[in-house]
């Protein structure tokens, strides 16, 4: 059964005896469906289809209604119902038809297509499979199966079905065209444009020889023209598609899709606007338009189009996810603009969009990082933001993923759309592995590379610059290579620069995306060290004109892509040769450290950690031997050695919050307060929700007479709703008192004393304020 | 009753306990089953006994461990202290260990026959007077809430129902609160039942959150008077033996003001916010001046 998005009562009313009445009630014009391409040969139905595709909407609707009103086979009535938007009745009619004609494979194929329309891919695949059991060479069933399987991760099975369509002599030309279109789309999605062009030529030949509709081919041509920066040709292809099918919204929606996946969101939105203008029932185009508006920070318009999509197509899980997200978005998020009030042109430079529950905690640190990164990148890339940068931070990871790509269940941390980026809050990652400060820095770098290149920067280049900036200017500088990437480096899995985008877009092994991030970062580390940072900037601006990355390297560095690859390999060999040549030994030592620690063998823990550190001293990831070594020293009560170990770990960029908290306490014990402040600030970029950290840092600031800074920490501590409300309020009162704000000080002080009337430090502050007021009065 | 001269704790004990009222503390260390639990329960029981010593005489603190913690011994003990207690006295009962719930009845696990729900109801009902306290740190202890709930007794369970069956963390944090300044939320140098509960509940929640896990236990508190029932003292400010005699007068004044503050807080809803804060400020200022004077005279 098709999922019930509408009421069961409405469905019951739509039984076959009342079809005419129901069709009149439920339809709002002819709904968008794919062209039949010759899959069916019922002349009455084809007449209606022709009316629809030729843009005669009213006539098409009347035609489909006539099919329902007159005596027709149930599978044809099902098609009419489907065209009129009543998918439930269409489903029931297909079921009746299948009962009457159990050996008719096409009824099962069309039922499968109906289920594809309702996004029930597994059920759809089952119908296609049933059809293939009746007719093993049914090309339409193979096509349906391929499309159903393409929504999962079965490339081999998909290809097997497509091959069956292409190779079987009896395959209808329409099915072959569909197979070609699917292959072209896939190649274009993978940036394999030369192959796409060849396939498109085949498709044109087939369509022309067999007189098949070509509007989809025109839309693909328009998309290719857009991707290849032949922008003046785009509209010509679209116009040609529309000449063939005037209400074919996909003439715009298909280029809109390719503009979106190549990160031209502004242009993508313009395509989708046109799509829904000429085909208001193109619910998917409404959804994509809504998502694009949201990416462009046009929130109200975005919500409106997602809502339209939902009302027209309640089946789409992406729309359902978006609707749920938008509830959260509207109710739970607040915007904070900086500077406040705006300076100069009256436009804020930065907008933080934060969850209400986190705003008091995240704001000061997110603002500081965002403003600092903007100033850094402005200087380093010679680009000044022309619009406010919007930073969205989501406490719920799935909300963030849905906001970014429409569907949950994807392990990403941040996504940049242009001047707006979205990312996970640390509350979405309760473990210590998420350094949200680095994620913010990384995404902000994307803002600058995307916008400076007018969205022309290749994926690997933008990711590489972001990683390179993390290492060189981010909140925890230092090159950090995870252990899994070292393995890939040792195995020589780095890609030539001309193919590096494949590592991101078409990973061929499990860890390849992460390996590609690191390779891209190291490439810029290499360029910066060997040629100078300005060469990176020079290359970036070449992408404005659509220069490809290898040419950009040749232009800026004056070496060929191949030479570059060779030089880069030499750099890696020099920089990482020692560790890569001893990787097995190092891994054994890291493993031995962990085993000894777990066994409580502290001396052996330290010895094994020392061996691992000797081989690779810069390794400060979560399984860093420094952490185990420090803990072993703690067990042996060798406090100074524990302190020295943690200090080295931190100085190398280690960021385990629990280890850094111990280090900060050690600095306080040693009265090295400046270092303690730095460590506490680093902790905030991993775990800003620890009240104790804010309290301790505030206390240090108070002792150093940095009262504004102390107040900020104390206010954040209070916002975390600590159990000890009296102390938290007293701390805020004391900071306000130090800042001579007696009114605010008294507010917080009386709150503290109301909770704890005998709280001596608070009583003493009250006495002090009272005496001071009396002496002033006297 | 031990006389510990802490001017802050004096105030509260004066408010709550009539003169000569006694506190009877009973700690039952149940079966651990595994060495790590035996060790934990033993340590928790030891700390409770140690901290209780600041509030009552040693002979009114009974700790049942190991083979001594049998049902017969316990029933006999509770029968005995019930007969000694007056209406003004209070009992604090700690059940530290594992529990079980078969869907109908809760049992606290001890050597031999377990203590049943009916036993526990009888024990708590057998004390004369009211405002007695029981802590049960076991899993499934929430099954006791319904049979034992009564506004005249304070009941804390580590779980909210008999269906939370995992070994609990609540007990260790509750005990941790007894000698932890961070749990003294009203800064009176005493840890009340309510403060220990609030502290432990927050720590348990933080623990599960930090582990990225759904909490397998949710503690519950029932009954009135938890904020006034002290379980331990921390950092009591002793008055020096050679302190001048005026200190005692000042202490009496301080106690009187603290009573006025409590009275004012009870009448908060009768007053406008401004008026309430004004009066609160005046009283606390007075208290602060007296405390300052006491400290100066006492050399603190």
């Amino acid at each position: 059964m098709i999922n019930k998005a509408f009421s069961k009562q409405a469905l019951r009313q739509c039984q076959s005896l009342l079809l005419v009445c129901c069709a009149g009630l439920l339809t709002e014009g002819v709904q968008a469906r794919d062209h039949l391409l010759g899959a069916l040969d019922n002349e009455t139905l084809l007449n209606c289809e022709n009316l629809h595709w030729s843009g005669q909407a009213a006539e098409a609707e009347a035609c489909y209604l006539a099919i329902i009103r007159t005596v027709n086979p149930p599978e044809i009535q099902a098609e009419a119902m489907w065209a009129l938007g009543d998918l439930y009745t269409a489903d029931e009619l297909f079921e009746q038809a299948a009962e009457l004609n159990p050996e008719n494979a096409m009824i099962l194929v069309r039922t499968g297509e109906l289920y594809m329309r309702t996004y029930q891919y597994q059920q759809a695949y089952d119908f296609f499979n049933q059809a293939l059991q009746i007719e093993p060479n049914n090309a339409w069933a193979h096509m349906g199966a391929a499309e159903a399987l393409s929504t999962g991760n079965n490339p081999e099975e998909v290809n097997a079905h497509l091959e069956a369509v292409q190779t079987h002599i009896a395959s209808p030309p329409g099915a072959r065209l569909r197979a070609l279109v699917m292959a072209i789309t896939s190649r274009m999605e993978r940036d394999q444009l030369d192959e796409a062009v060849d396939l498109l030529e085949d498709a044109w030949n087939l369509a022309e020889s067999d007189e098949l509709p070509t509007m989809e081919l025109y839309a693909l041509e328009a998309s290719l023209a857009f991707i290849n920066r032949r922008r003046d040709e785009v509209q010509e292809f679209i116009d040609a598609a529309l000449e063939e099918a005037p209400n074919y919204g996909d003439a715009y929606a298909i280029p809109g899709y390719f503009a979106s996946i190549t990160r031209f969101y502004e242009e993508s939105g313009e395509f989708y606007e046109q799509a829904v203008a000429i085909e208001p029932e193109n619910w998917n185009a409404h959804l994509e338009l809504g998502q694009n508006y949201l990416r462009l920070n046009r929130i109200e318009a975005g919500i409106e189009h997602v809502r339209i999509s939902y009302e027209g197509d309640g089946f789409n899980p992406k729309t359902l996810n978006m609707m749920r997200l938008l509830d959260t978005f509207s109710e739970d998020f607040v915007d904070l603009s900086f500077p406040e009030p705006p300076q100069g042109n009256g436009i804020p430079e930065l907008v933080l969009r934060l969850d209400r529950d986190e705003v008091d905690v995240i704001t000061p640190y997110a603002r500081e990082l965002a403003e600092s990164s903007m100033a850094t990148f402005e200087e380093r890339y010679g680009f000044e933001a022309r619009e406010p940068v919007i930073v969205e931070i989501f406490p719920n990871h799935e909300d963030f993923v849905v906001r970014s790509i429409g569907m949950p269940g994807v392990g990403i941390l941040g996504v940049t759309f242009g001047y707006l980026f979205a990312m996970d809050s640390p509350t979405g990652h309760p473990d210590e592995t998420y350094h949200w400060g680095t994620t913010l820095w990384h995404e902000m770098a994307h803002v600058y590379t995307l916008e400076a290149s007018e969205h022309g920067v290749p994926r690997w280049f933008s990711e590489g610059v972001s990683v390179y900036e993390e290492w060189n200017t981010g909140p925890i500088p230092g090159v950090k290579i995870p252990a899994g990437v070292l393995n890939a480096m040792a195995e020589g899995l780095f890609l030539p620069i001309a193919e590096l985008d494949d590592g991101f877009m078409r990973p061929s092994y499990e860890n390849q995306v992460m390996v590609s991030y690191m390779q891209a970062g190291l490439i810029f580390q290499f360029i910066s060290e060997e040629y100078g940072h300005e060469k990176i900037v020079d290359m970036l601006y070449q992408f404005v004109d659509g220069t490809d990355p290898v040419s950009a390297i040749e232009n800026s560095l004056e070496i060929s892509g191949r030479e570059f690859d060779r030089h880069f390999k030499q750099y890696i060999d020099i920089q990482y040769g020692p560790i890569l040549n001893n990787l097995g030994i190092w891994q054994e030592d890291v493993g031995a450290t962990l085993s000894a620690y777990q066994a409580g063998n502290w001396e052996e823990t330290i010895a094994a950690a020392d061996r691992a550190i000797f081989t690779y001293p810069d390794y400060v990831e979560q399984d860093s031997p420094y952490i185990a070594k420090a803990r072993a020293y703690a067990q042996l009560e060798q406090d100074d050695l524990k302190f020295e170990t943690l200090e080295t770990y931190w100085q190398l960029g280690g960021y385990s919050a629990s280890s850094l908290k111990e280090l900060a306490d050690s600095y306080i014990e040693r009265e090295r307060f400046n270092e303690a402040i730095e460590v506490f600030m680093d902790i905030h970029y991993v775990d800003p929700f620890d009240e104790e950290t804010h309290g301790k840092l505030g206390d240090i600031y108070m002792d150093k007479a940095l009262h504004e800074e102390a107040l900020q920490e104390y206010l954040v501590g209070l916002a975390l709703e600590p159990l000890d409300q009296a102390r938290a309020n007293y701390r805020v009162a004391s900071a306000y008192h130090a800042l001579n704000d007696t009114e605010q000080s008294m507010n917080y002080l009386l709150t503290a004393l109301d909770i704890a009337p005998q709280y001596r430090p608070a009583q003493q502050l009250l006495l002090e304020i009272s005496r001071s007021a009396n002496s002033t009065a006297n | 009753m031990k006389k510990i001269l802490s001017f802050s704790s004096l105030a509260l004990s004066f408010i709550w306990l009539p003169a000569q009222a006694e506190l009877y503390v009973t700690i039952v260390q149940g079966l651990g089953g595994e060495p790590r639990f035996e060790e934990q329960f033993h340590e928790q029981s030891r700390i409770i006994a140690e901290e209780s010593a600041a509030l009552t005489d040693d002979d009114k603190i009974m700790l049942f461990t190991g083979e001594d913690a049998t049902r017969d011994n316990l029933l006999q003990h509770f029968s005995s202290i019930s007969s000694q207690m007056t209406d003004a006295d209070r009992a604090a009962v700690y059940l530290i260990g594992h529990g079980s719930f078969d869907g109908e009845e809760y049992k606290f696990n001890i050597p031999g026959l377990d203590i049943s729900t009916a036993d526990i109801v009888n024990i708590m009902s057998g004390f004369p007077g009211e405002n007695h306290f029981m802590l049960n740190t076991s899993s499934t202890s929430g099954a006791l809430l319904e049979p034992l709930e009564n506004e005249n007794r304070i009941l804390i369970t580590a779980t909210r129902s008999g269906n939370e069956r995992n070994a609990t963390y609540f007990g260790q944090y509750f005990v941790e609160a007894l000698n932890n300044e961070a749990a003294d939320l009203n800064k009176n140098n005493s840890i009340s039942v309510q403060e220990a509960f609030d502290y432990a509940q927050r720590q348990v929640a933080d623990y599960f959150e930090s582990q990225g896990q759904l909490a397998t236990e949710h503690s519950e508190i029932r009954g009135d008077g938890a904020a006034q029932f002290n379980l331990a003292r921390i950092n009591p400010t002793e008055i020096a033996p050679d302190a001048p005699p005026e200190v005692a007068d000042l202490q009496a004044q301080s106690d009187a003001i603290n009573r006025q503050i409590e009275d004012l807080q009870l009448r908060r809803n009768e007053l406008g916010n401004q008026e309430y804060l004004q009066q609160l400020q005046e009283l606390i200022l007075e208290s602060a001046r007296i405390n300052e004077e006491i400290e100066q005279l006492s050399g603190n």
Side-chain angles (χ1 to χ4, degrees):
Chain A
M1 289 289 286
I2 287 177
N3 286 336
K4 295 291 184 285
F6 303 119
S7 77
K8 286 184 178 175
Q9 191 182 2
L11 179 61
R12 278 197 296 273
Q13 287 169 354
C14 290
Q15 300 305 320
S16 55
L17 292 175
L18 293 172
L19 290 177
V20 176
C21 159
C22 287
L25 281 173
L26 291 178
T27 58
E28 292 177 7
V30 178
Q31 306 293 298
R33 346 192 267 168
D34 289 338
H35 200 288
L36 291 171
L37 293 175
L40 300 176
D41 57 6
N42 181 289
E43 282 187 19
T44 314
L45 178 65
L46 292 183
N47 181 41
C48 301
E49 292 284 309
N50 289 337
L51 288 168
H52 167 65
W53 287 105
S54 63
Q56 300 174 71
E59 290 82 352
E61 184 175 355
C63 181
Y64 288 120
L65 284 167
I67 289 179
I68 295 163
R69 289 186 181 118
T70 53
V71 177
N72 277 296
E75 64 270 26
I76 301 304
Q77 291 200 325
E79 296 285 348
M81 275 297 185
W82 180 357
L84 290 166
D86 183 352
L87 308 189
Y88 296 121
T89 309
D91 182 31
E92 294 195 354
L93 287 164
F94 276 134
E95 197 176 337
Q96 288 176 23
E99 281 171 13
L100 291 170
N101 304 283
E103 294 304 311
N104 186 330
M106 279 312 291
I107 292 172
L108 295 169
V109 169
R110 293 303 294 167
T111 311
E113 298 286 2
L114 179 70
Y115 277 73
M116 289 293 285
R117 166 66 186 77
T118 59
Y119 311 90
Q120 292 168 262
Y121 303 117
Q122 180 59 53
Q123 291 98 324
Y125 176 75
D126 292 342
F127 279 112
F128 297 130
N129 218 8
Q130 288 172 39
L132 287 171
Q133 284 166 18
I134 296 168
E135 283 182 28
N137 294 322
N138 186 309
W140 303 105
H142 278 296
M143 259 324 296
E147 287 179 346
L149 289 167
S150 71
T151 60
N153 191 23
N154 297 300
E156 287 169 10
E157 283 187 73
V158 171
N159 287 336
H161 285 292
L162 288 178
E163 204 169 317
V165 176
Q166 295 290 25
T167 56
H168 197 267
I169 196 158
S171 289
R176 289 177 194 272
L177 185 64
R178 263 180 70 179
L180 279 168
V181 166
M182 191 173 169
I184 295 161
T185 305
S186 167
R187 299 300 190 285
M188 288 172 64
E189 285 171 338
R190 293 161 157 263
D191 202 30
Q192 294 167 337
L193 300 184
D194 292 343
E195 290 179 44
V197 168
D198 292 343
L199 288 166
L200 196 50
E201 197 177 328
D202 293 345
W204 277 113
N205 291 335
L206 176 66
E208 281 165 11
S209 66
D210 287 276
E211 296 183 358
L212 292 166
T214 55
M215 63 273 191
E216 197 167 4
L217 302 185
Y218 279 119
L220 289 169
E221 290 283 10
S223 306
L224 270 172
F226 180 84
I227 293 168
N228 287 325
R229 310 272 181 130
R230 294 181 281 115
R231 303 280 163 94
D232 52 332
E233 296 176 27
V234 173
Q235 192 59 45
E236 287 174 28
F237 287 120
I238 291 173
D239 289 344
L242 293 176
E243 195 175 329
E244 189 173 318
N247 56 355
Y248 180 56
D250 281 355
Y252 283 104
I254 290 171
Y257 167 71
F258 284 104
S260 175
I261 66 169
T262 49
R263 296 182 292 184
F264 288 94
Y265 301 113
E266 195 83 48
E267 293 83 350
S268 173
E270 288 165 10
F271 283 126
Y272 282 120
E273 280 169 3
Q274 294 295 325
V276 300
I278 63 169
E279 190 182 15
E281 295 83 18
N282 192 328
W283 311 124
N284 194 53
H286 279 289
L287 174 63
E288 295 297 333
L289 178 58
Q291 271 199 291
N292 253 290
Y293 280 147
L294 292 171
R295 288 167 183 153
L296 297 167
N297 199 37
R298 294 174 60 184
I299 304 298
E300 292 304 319
I303 290 172
E304 176 63 10
H305 282 279
V306 173
R307 187 189 58 73
I308 292 170
S309 175
Y310 174 73
E311 286 173 0
D313 178 10
F315 293 104
N316 191 341
K318 215 168 155 182
T319 318
L320 288 169
N321 287 324
M322 287 299 292
M323 287 296 288
R324 287 194 200 103
L325 165 74
L326 291 173
D327 280 347
T328 307
F329 212 52
S330 308
E331 290 167 15
D332 298 345
F333 278 66
V334 290
D335 282 6
L336 300 168
S337 299
F338 303 103
E340 181 60 41
Q343 310 291 306
N345 58 10
I347 299 171
E349 292 164 14
L350 171 70
V351 177
L352 298 178
R353 186 166 291 148
L354 305 173
D355 187 282
R356 286 179 200 282
D357 290 343
E358 301 197 337
V359 71
D360 291 334
V361 178
I362 296 274
T363 300
Y365 313 110
R367 180 189 177 187
E368 187 177 326
L369 270 183
E371 289 180 341
S372 164
S373 58
M374 288 168 74
T376 301
F377 299 139
E378 186 176 317
E379 187 188 335
R380 282 170 68 80
Y381 294 92
F383 178 81
E384 190 174 345
R386 296 173 191 137
E387 295 177 22
V389 175
I390 294 136
V391 181
E392 293 178 355
I393 301 181
F394 287 79
N396 183 311
H397 172 74
E398 296 302 349
D399 282 348
F400 153 65
V401 179
V402 169
R403 193 266 185 268
S404 304
I405 57 176
M407 294 295 282
V410 180
I412 51 177
L413 300 174
V415 174
T416 302
F417 301 114
Y419 282 109
L420 185 153
F421 67 84
M423 57 177 280
D424 269 342
S425 158
T427 41
H429 296 262
D431 56 30
E432 293 195 333
T433 58
Y434 179 49
H435 195 283
W436 71 276
T438 294
T439 298
L440 191 150
W441 202 269
H442 179 106
E443 298 305 325
M444 189 66 86
H446 279 313
V447 173
Y448 281 76
T449 48
L450 267 176
E451 294 301 336
S453 67
E454 296 179 8
H455 287 233
V457 64
R459 169 86 189 268
W460 75 264
F461 193 102
S462 191
E463 295 295 359
V465 167
S466 284
V467 173
Y468 157 74
E469 289 298 341
E470 279 180 33
W471 292 341
N472 289 278
T473 61
I476 41 167
V479 176
K480 295 174 192 64
I481 308 287
V485 176
L486 291 173
N487 283 325
M489 290 165 74
E491 291 170 29
L493 294 179
F494 274 2
L495 293 171
I497 199 153
E499 298 169 22
L500 188 46
D501 253 356
D502 291 353
F504 291 97
M505 322 274 272
R506 295 170 283 284
S508 58
Y509 57 90
E510 194 181 340
N511 198 27
Q512 191 173 10
V513 173
M514 177 54 74
V515 172
S516 302
Y517 271 100
M518 295 299 113
Q519 182 185 351
L522 287 167
I523 282 171
F524 291 107
Q525 198 70 22
F526 164 61
I527 295 173
S528 176
E529 289 174 20
E530 293 297 317
Y531 299 91
H533 171 79
E534 66 281 2
K535 294 292 183 189
I536 299 171
V537 182
D538 186 47
M539 289 163 68
L540 174 65
Y541 280 95
Q542 293 181 49
F543 298 124
V544 173
D545 303 325
T547 304
D548 69 88
V550 174
S551 302
I553 282 175
E554 287 169 355
N555 296 340
S556 295
L557 308 184
E558 297 175 356
I559 56 170
S560 68
R562 193 164 292 178
E563 276 179 291
F564 179 85
D565 287 335
R566 194 164 52 79
H567 289 182
F568 176 61
K569 185 176 182 314
Q570 287 170 350
Y571 171 80
I572 293 297
D573 289 344
I574 292 165
Q575 294 289 325
Y576 293 93
I579 172 61
L580 296 180
N581 291 334
N582 294 290
L583 195 57
I585 295 168
W586 176 74
Q587 284 169 334
E588 275 178 26
D589 287 335
V590 171
T593 306
L594 189 64
S595 300
Y597 181 77
Q598 285 171 341
N601 187 341
W602 314 126
E603 301 286 358
E604 176 52 29
T605 302
I606 294 162
D610 278 339
R611 293 196 301 272
I613 290 167
F614 177 78
T615 310
Y616 188 16
D618 293 340
Y619 188 74
V620 288
E621 299 301 304
Q622 294 305 309
D623 55 346
S624 168
Y626 287 107
I627 297 174
K629 185 182 171 186
R631 288 179 183 165
Y633 278 133
Q635 293 292 336
L636 294 170
E637 297 182 355
Q638 296 182 353
D639 194 52
D640 284 344
L641 291 171
K642 173 195 156 191
F643 165 70
E644 285 168 17
T645 306
L646 287 176
E647 186 177 48
T648 307
Y649 165 75
W650 170 61
Q651 287 168 342
L652 289 168
Y655 59 90
S656 150
S658 55
S659 298
L660 295 194
K661 284 173 192 172
E662 290 180 41
L663 177 62
D665 287 342
S666 297
Y667 275 129
I668 291 172
E669 282 167 20
R670 286 161 178 76
E671 299 186 352
R672 291 172 61 181
F673 298 112
N674 289 336
E675 288 96 334
I677 289 172
E678 284 184 49
V679 175
F680 278 129
M681 286 306 294
D682 281 352
I683 294 169
H684 289 346
Y685 295 133
V686 186
D687 179 16
F689 290 91
D690 180 48
E691 184 255 337
E692 202 178 342
T693 304
H694 295 286
K696 286 178 179 175
L697 180 54
D699 289 349
I700 296 175
Y701 281 139
M702 281 297 280
D703 287 344
K704 294 175 81 70
L706 296 167
H707 302 130
E708 287 281 3
E709 290 83 350
L711 178 63
Q712 175 178 296
E713 294 302 320
Y714 288 155
L715 283 172
V716 172
L718 185 61
L720 287 166
E721 297 178 9
L723 195 58
D724 194 345
Q725 286 283 312
R727 186 172 66 158
N729 277 282
Y730 163 71
R731 278 172 154 163
V732 175
S734 63
Y736 273 124
H737 177 63
L739 290 163
N740 297 315
D741 189 338
T742 304
E743 190 182 340
Q744 285 282 34
S745 181
M746 281 298 288
N747 285 341
Y748 287 95
L749 188 57
L750 285 176
T751 303
L753 285 164
D754 194 15
I755 297 163
Q758 299 172 64
Y759 188 17
R760 282 299 290 142
Q763 284 192 346
Q764 284 159 347
L765 179 58
L766 183 65
L767 266 181
E768 192 182 330
I769 291 172
S770 169
R771 283 169 181 155
S772 171
N774 288 340
S775 71
T776 307
N778 294 333
Chain B
M1 183 175 168
K2 285 185 177 176
K3 305 292 182 192
I4 294 178
L5 286 174
S6 157
F7 57 78
S8 49
S9 56
L10 259 176
L12 280 187
S13 56
F14 186 90
I15 292 163
W16 182 254
L17 277 180
Q20 306 306 317
E22 301 284 5
L23 173 65
Y24 290 78
V25 177
T26 305
I27 306 149
V28 183
Q29 181 193 326
L31 288 171
E34 295 174 29
R36 66 187 172 114
F37 288 124
E38 289 286 355
E39 203 174 304
Q40 282 175 22
F41 298 158
H42 178 76
E43 182 63 6
Q44 289 167 19
S45 302
R46 184 190 66 74
I47 293 171
I48 293 166
E50 195 173 292
E51 296 304 325
S52 300
L55 297 172
T56 191
D57 297 335
D58 288 348
D59 63 358
K60 294 187 175 56
I61 301 171
M62 280 300 294
L63 171 58
F64 289 89
T65 65
E67 295 304 314
D68 291 337
T70 63
R71 181 173 178 271
D72 286 347
N73 285 352
L74 290 170
L75 295 182
Q76 192 178 356
H77 161 75
F78 284 116
S79 171
S80 167
I81 62 168
S82 294
S83 64
Q84 294 169 39
M85 288 170 69
T86 68
D87 283 355
D89 294 338
R90 289 170 303 147
V93 179
Y94 296 88
L95 301 181
I96 308 297
H98 294 307
S100 58
F101 179 63
D102 61 7
E104 290 183 6
E105 189 182 26
Y106 168 84
K107 288 179 179 173
F108 182 75
N109 305 150
I110 52 172
L113 279 180
D114 289 338
I115 311 178
S116 68
T117 299
D119 291 336
I120 294 170
V121 171
N122 287 336
I123 289 166
M124 293 305 288
S125 304
F127 297 131
E130 53 190 32
N131 296 114
H132 306 295
F133 162 63
M134 171 177 273
L135 165 70
N136 188 329
T137 68
S138 77
S139 57
T140 74
S141 52
L144 280 176
L145 288 166
E146 197 181 321
L148 211 56
E149 188 171 352
N150 179 324
E151 65 185 23
N152 292 326
R153 67 171 71 109
I154 307 161
L155 172 65
I156 290 179
T157 58
T159 74
R160 65 184 169 198
S161 73
N163 296 322
E164 293 188 325
R165 296 171 191 275
N166 289 23
T168 64
Y169 295 88
F170 181 80
Q172 81 184 55
Y173 290 120
F174 191 93
V175 172
E176 186 178 293
L178 299 181
N179 54 16
N180 190 336
E181 263 184 77
D184 181 19
L185 304 180
N186 65 1
K187 312 297 176 193
N188 69 348
N189 292 327
S190 294
I191 302 296
S192 69
V193 170
Q194 187 68 54
E195 286 173 326
F197 174 80
D198 289 343
Y199 176 87
Q201 190 180 50
R202 173 67 73 100
Q203 294 295 327
V204 169
D206 286 352
Y207 169 78
F208 283 103
E209 196 180 320
S210 69
Q211 300 297 309
Q213 296 172 355
L214 289 176
T216 55
E217 60 184 88
H218 301 81
S219 52
E220 289 283 335
I221 184 167
R222 300 289 162 85
D224 298 334
Q228 286 76 36
F229 197 129
N230 285 339
L231 300 177
R233 291 207 174 101
I234 51 168
N235 301 328
T237 308
E238 305 282 350
I239 295 177
D242 56 349
E246 302 96 285
V247 170
D249 288 344
L250 288 166
Q251 186 60 63
Q253 288 177 42
S254 176
D255 292 344
I257 289 171
N258 287 333
R259 286 196 294 277
Q260 287 180 54
I261 291 170
E262 284 218 342
D263 181 56
L264 175 67
Q265 290 181 320
L266 290 171
R267 293 187 294 110
R268 176 196 303 251
N269 292 338
E270 299 166 16
L271 306 170
N273 190 48
Q274 273 305 108
E275 191 182 349
Y276 169 73
L277 289 175
Q278 182 63 36
Q279 291 188 29
L280 180 71
Q281 185 177 334
E282 286 168 12
L283 286 170
I284 291 175
L285 257 180
E286 188 55 25
S287 171
R289 286 192 194 98
I290 293 168
N291 285 335
E292 188 179 67
E293 214 172 326
I294 291 172
E295 283 163 11
Q296 285 166 356
L297 289 168
S298 307
N300 290 331

